[in-house]
Every structure is written in C-alpha cells, then in structure tokens.
Amino acid sequence: MSTPSPSTVDADAPTWPAEFAERYRAAGHWRGETFGAMLRERAAAHPDRIAIVDPAGGPDGGRRAWTYGELDRRADRLAAGLTARGIGRGDRVVVQLPNTAEFFEVVFALFRIGALPVFALPAHRESEIAYFCSFAEAVAYVIPAEHGGYDYRTLAAVVCAKAPTVRHVLVAGRDAGAFESLADLPAEPVTLSEPAPDALAFLQLSGGSTGTPKLIPRTHDDYIYSLRGSNELCGVTEESVYLCVLPAAHNFPLSSPGTLGTLYAGGRVVLCPSPSPDTAFPLIERERVTITGLVPPLALVWTEAATRTAHDLSSLDVLLVGGAKFSEEAARRVAPALGCTLQQVFGMAEGLVNYTRLDDPAETIVTTQGRPISADDEIRIVDDEDQDLPVGTTGHLLTRGPYTIRGYWRAPEHNRRSFTEDGFYRTGDLVRLTESGHLVVEGRAKDQINRGGEKIAAEEVENHLLAHPAVHDANVVAEPDPYLGERTCAYVILRADAEPVKASALKAFVRGRGLAAYKVPDRVVFTDAFPKTGVGKVSKKDLRAAPAA
Ligand code: AMP
Ligand code: DBH
C-alpha cells in the first residue's frame, strides 16, 4: 500500500485533527487507498470479470455488461475528455444520473482527475440543482438526456441561466440537444497523477433540516474505510452480486455496502432501473443477485410480492433495510417471505453506519437498528444539555469516528450548531442503547420529515410556501402514513386580505417552483393560528399531535 502523502484537504472542509488522523492510520482504517487506484488495481487483477450490469443500457435497450477492464478504460477515456474541457482537480461537478452504467464511468473519471462529484438525485429539479450548482460553484453538470419521462436537457437550460459557473452540460446518451454528449468528448489520453488519499473525493448530500441542503465532504481514506468495514459485516466478497435498487447516488446504495463496496470487493453490480418487484424479481433470478438494499416501504412491497412470485429468489442471501425506521412487525416477515437474512442498517451520509450482524440473534435483527461498523466509532447518548444518559435511556445521538465528517462543506456557522466543540456530529436522531450495545432509533429531534427514507427539511418547504402571495405563515411537519411511515403535512395561515386559495393550488405552486416532487406537501391544512410553546414559539410537537382532519 502506498504511503499517504501530506494532507491536501480542502480549506472549505473541516477535517480531523492530526492526532485522530494518526490514530486512524495507525489502526489500519485509513490505508492510503484512492478510488482511482482501487479501480486500476481491480482491473489489473481481474480485467475480464464483470463489474457492472446495466439491464437496459445496451444500444437496443438490451443488457449491457462492462468488465473491470472496460470500466477502467472508459474511466480513463472520459477523464481525458473532461480534462480536455478544462475540468481539473478540486473542481465541482454536479452529477445527476439514474441507475445506468454511465454513472460509474463518470464518477470514476472524476475520481481520477480529483474533481469532486456532487451527488444529486434524479428526482431533484430546478430549485435543488440550481442551488447545488451555485453553492458548489460547479463548473459542469452531468445529466441523462431523459429519464422517467422527464427531459433533463430542459432542466439544464434553466439551471445554466441561474448558475453561471456551469460551463459544461454533459449528456449521457446520444441526444445531447444543445449540449455535449459524453461520447463525443475528445479521447486523447492524458497523464493524471492520483489525488492524495486524504483529499476530498466527493460531496454527498445531506437530507438536511435547514432551508438549504448542506454538502458533505468525504475523503477517499474515510469512505473507503466505511466500504471495507461494510463489506466485512455484510459478507460482500468477489462472489457477491449487488442489486442497486435505490438511486445510485444516494449514500445507502453507494456505500452500505452498496455499489462501491461491491466494486471494492471485486464483485458484480447489477443496476435496477425501477424498484418494483416486477422489474427487480426477474433480475434477481437472471443475474443470481445475492444482496441488495431497500428503504422500509419497498421492503414491505417486496415482502408481500415474494409470497406470490413465480420467480426464483433463492440466490438472495441478504436484504439490507434502512434509511428510515423499519417496524418490528414488518421486519419479522422479511426472512420467511424472501428466504434471506434481514440486515437492518441505520446510516447517514455524514458518516456513522450501524448494522445488525448477520449472526445476531433473530430477535436483535428485528428489534434494533444495529451497532457501529468500527470499534473507533464513538457514540454518546445525551440529554438536552449534552449530559450523558444512562444505558437504556433515550436521548440525542452524538458521534465521532474514522468516517464521520467533522463539518459540512463551506458552512462554518451551521457547523458550530451541528458539531460539538470536540468534534461530535449531532445526528438529530433520538436513540437508545440496548444491553447488547445495539442502537434503537426512537425518534428525531431535527426539523425534518423522513418520507419512507427520503428526507425533507421542513424549513426548505416552508420557504417555498411563504413565497406564495396569499400565505401569511406556514409550518411543515410529519404525520403518520401506513406505507411511507411519515408523510408531509403543511399547516398554513392565509393572509386576511388574500383571495382564498385551495390546497391543490398551493401544492401546484410549490411544484411549479421547481422543487423535487417528493418534497411537495402530501396534505395542506389551513388554520387561523399555530399552537405555541411556553415562550411563544410555534410548537411543532403540538402541530404533529393535531388530529388528522
Ligand atoms: P442523511 O443525514 O440525510 O444521510 O439521513 C440520515 C438519517 O436517516 C439518519 O440520521 C436517520 O434520521 C435516518 N435513518 C437512516 N437509517 C435509519 C434507520 N434504519 N432507522 C431510522 N432512521 C434512519
Ligand atoms: O438514510 C441514510 O442516509 C442511510 C441509510 C442507510 C445511509 O446514508 C446509509 C445507510 O449509508
């Protein structure tokens, strides 16, 4: 393994104090690996082994499979093309690609250059993308031509008008319209030096709890450690076939153990174009999928569908479920229905990931959200005054460790609130510890809605509602939903002098402002006043408790 070069960590990203970095290196967590070199090594070791299967990515919409050798060559070729367009080390590139092979070609090309992918989701629209591009001062934006019936070239035109730093819109696929196709970039080989392992590799998105989403700076060293740890705990080896069902850019399917963990192990990644059992089950049968990850609502649908499917799901060993709390009743049904081991995962793009162990007692697997990957993950459960609570008491989860960030990217003020002085991340989750050292997620203190694993910052939606001329005030809270776990309810006070508006018109207004569809309130309730706390602040707790009208 190469010796790590001196720290090159970006001044925009708070990093680990030297004594922690030394400790994590000495413990063998940070091994000086980088993503670019990792792919190079795997391609040298087994060039002809399949790395990526894209079932609908072929020229005729048929199956396309790339070997490790081919992925490596493609990443080089694209790195050359991007370099020719002036994209260099440290530049930010917003990547908004669906579950297609190009996603991997693009991110490995950027890793090789040392440019930083900013991982947007296909569901994001003008509001989110223009913000990411402007805030990150992105020089390029990578899109599919279209996906799910939506034309991303139209979105890109709007984004470019709002975010002048974006010099290049690059389109995966042939129909680039006014923009440039990835396939048409120059292919003159270039020599690139590998970025330092402690340099930033990418910016991941936070579900957030504030008006604007925060960007999460992850380094090669720290992220690769989380992959190695995840592979060990999830049993991922070169024999594994991981089905990527959730959006590939999301931290869960990317790293827990996800596509990158699988590639690290030399296994095979199969991309699932849609999460429905109608698409996924035939793929599991045909590709002999061994492991996959789902959010709870999908796990419910799959469990139900598995009891009546004719497809052979016997290759499936492990189903990871996480992103939101999985109910114990639903968890109990997984193993019998799907004939595999359930593994609960409680993770966050900021770092800390907890897994139930494959050999944990069945009761632990269905009743807890697991325990941390690393012996060096430090966990504190505290009260409102940051005082440690006795084991078994529910409190705020704080964490610090070898793959948990010490601060968001370019957010010094927010960081003072989200991290303790000694570097613990305030997760905003309310948890308790069991005697066996497992965590149980009991709730949330952050102002967020967890809509079946999709996180929505209340303040972000409130700001969009407040932009409507008839809206005097708005508060967005979670309400229970039998399928999603939570859905979004917006309580709105209209201006006394305004023309009356309908709930449907307000939803359409928010959607029209270019917000991702999953953030549009599921329900809008008009009211005359909000419940207040003792000191006169709006009590979201009381709003949440309001009867569902
Ligand atoms: P983010 O910070 O946007 O990556 O979202 C991570 C958050 O998702 C965590 O802080 C939790 O609130 C939530 N989460 C993830 N996995 C689980 C789980 N298994 N159970 C309950 N909540 C979860
Ligand atoms: O919800 C998440 O962000 C999440 C869930 C499971 C995550 O980031 C992860 C595993 O790595």
Side-chain angles (χ1 to χ4, degrees):
M1 224 46 75
S2 63
T3 344
S5 39
S7 177
T8 52
V9 165
D10 198 302
D12 297 314
T15 187
W16 291 266
E19 77 257 33
F20 283 87
E22 275 159 33
R23 201 214 289 171
Y24 299 151
R25 285 198 185 98
H29 303 329
W30 295 358
R31 296 190 181 167
E33 296 170 290
T34 62
F35 282 104
M38 181 269 269
L39 176 59
R40 186 80 77 220
E41 282 168 26
R42 301 298 175 274
H46 41 73
D48 299 328
R49 195 182 293 163
I50 302 291
I52 312 269
V53 175
D54 181 341
D60 49 359
R63 183 179 187 269
R64 172 169 57 164
W66 288 349
T67 62
Y68 276 87
E70 180 158 13
L71 178 60
D72 185 48
R73 281 191 299 279
R74 282 177 167 271
D76 274 345
R77 188 191 159 283
L78 193 54
L82 297 171
T83 303
R85 287 289 171 271
I87 296 169
R89 184 153 295 178
D91 283 344
R92 275 79 60 196
V93 175
V94 173
V95 177
Q96 187 182 28
L97 290 173
N99 292 5
T100 54
E102 283 89 357
F103 176 88
F104 297 92
E105 182 182 18
V106 169
V107 302
F108 277 100
L110 293 170
F111 290 154
R112 288 237 156 111
I113 295 173
L116 311 180
V118 180
F119 286 124
L121 298 174
H124 288 140
R125 292 293 178 261
E126 178 192 332
S127 170
E128 291 91 0
I129 302 291
Y131 176 77
F132 301 146
C133 288
S134 311
F135 180 67
E137 299 179 272
V139 299
Y141 171 36
V142 188
I143 54 167
E146 59 170 63
H147 170 70
Y150 182 75
D151 189 334
Y152 287 80
R153 294 160 298 192
T154 315
L155 173 61
V158 180
V159 167
C160 286
K162 289 189 154 185
T165 56
V166 176
R167 297 194 304 264
H168 303 283
V169 173
L170 299 162
V171 182
R174 283 274 158 208
D175 308 315
F179 305 113
E180 192 170 23
S181 167
L182 289 177
D184 293 338
L185 287 174
E188 273 312 299
V190 287
T191 309
L192 295 164
S193 62
E194 203 45 52
D198 63 352
L200 297 188
F202 56 83
L203 297 173
Q204 186 53 282
L205 305 186
S206 145
S209 54
T210 54
T212 48
K214 298 290 171 283
L215 299 182
I216 297 170
R218 302 290 302 258
T219 65
H220 296 265
D221 265 336
D222 91 74
Y223 210 68
I224 289 178
Y225 172 49
S226 83
L227 301 181
R228 214 178 324 109
S230 296
N231 283 349
E232 198 178 316
L233 298 176
C234 306
V236 170
T237 67
E238 59 181 36
E239 303 298 325
S240 298
V241 182
Y242 178 85
L243 186 68
C244 179
V245 176
L246 300 172
H250 190 278
N251 200 62
F252 174 13
L254 195 64
S255 67
S256 296
T259 57
L260 293 182
T262 303
L263 295 175
Y264 184 89
R268 180 181 296 195
V269 169
V270 177
L271 298 167
C272 201
S274 140
S276 119
D278 294 344
T279 305
F281 287 7
L283 268 179
I284 294 175
E285 175 175 319
R286 197 172 73 218
E287 304 291 342
R288 306 298 295 160
V289 168
T290 62
I291 176 166
T292 185
L294 298 175
V295 288
L298 285 175
L300 284 174
V301 172
W302 281 38
T303 304
E304 172 62 24
T307 57
R308 16 179 195 85
T309 188
H311 289 287
D312 174 11
L313 306 180
S314 61
S315 59
L316 196 63
D317 286 331
V318 176
L319 174 65
L320 290 131
V321 179
K325 176 82 180 247
F326 198 31
S327 77
E328 187 184 321
E329 306 80 77
R332 280 190 197 284
R333 296 202 294 269
V334 167
L338 284 146
C340 64
T341 303
L342 168 67
Q343 187 165 35
Q344 293 212 45
V345 50
F346 161 40
M348 53 207 75
E350 287 82 354
L352 180 70
V353 181
N354 305 277
Y355 295 103
T356 55
R357 304 310 196 241
L358 297 176
D359 59 357
D360 270 341
E363 235 8 63
T364 306
I365 293 177
V366 297
T367 57
T368 80
Q369 279 65 60
R371 55 191 173 85
I373 291 178
S374 175
D376 282 318
D377 282 321
E378 298 172 71
I379 296 288
R380 288 182 62 200
I381 298 173
V382 301
D383 65 14
D384 290 344
E385 273 74 51
D386 281 357
Q387 298 303 307
D388 290 290
L389 290 165
V391 171
T393 312
T394 299
H396 302 277
L397 172 66
L398 313 182
T399 185
R400 183 168 83 168
Y403 59 97
T404 297
I405 57 164
R406 291 302 187 111
Y408 292 100
W409 195 75
R410 288 193 185 166
E413 199 182 316
H414 184 70
N415 287 339
R416 280 190 281 279
R417 290 193 298 277
S418 295
F419 294 81
T420 64
E421 275 185 12
D422 53 355
F424 280 81
Y425 168 54
R426 298 183 187 276
T427 65
D429 293 312
L430 297 174
V431 305
R432 96 185 133 78
L433 203 56
T434 66
E435 291 293 338
S436 57
H438 289 72
L439 292 170
V440 178
V441 181
E442 296 285 9
R444 188 172 59 235
K446 55 192 165 190
D447 196 7
Q448 187 184 73
I449 296 94
N450 189 332
R451 194 176 182 276
E454 291 186 306
K455 320 302 189 300
I456 301 163
E459 191 184 336
E460 187 182 0
V461 183
E462 288 159 3
N463 287 340
H464 285 282
L465 287 164
L466 287 167
H468 191 285
V471 172
H472 168 70
D473 205 356
N475 273 287
V476 172
V477 295
E479 62 181 11
D481 180 276
Y483 170 60
L484 294 168
E486 294 177 12
R487 67 180 164 211
T488 315
C489 182
Y491 288 87
V492 172
I493 302 178
L494 292 177
R495 282 187 205 283
D497 56 352
E499 293 283 313
V501 286
K502 289 204 168 117
S504 56
L506 266 188
K507 290 190 205 178
F509 172 79
V510 171
R511 190 174 295 113
R513 286 177 58 84
L515 203 63
Y518 69 85
K519 297 183 188 167
V520 175
D522 294 291
R523 204 159 72 92
V524 175
V525 176
F526 295 104
T527 179
D528 297 329
F530 298 131
K532 297 278 166 56
T533 64
V535 289
K537 290 202 292 186
V538 173
S539 168
K540 288 208 164 178
K541 191 162 152 259
D542 290 330
L543 269 181
R544 277 190 285 272

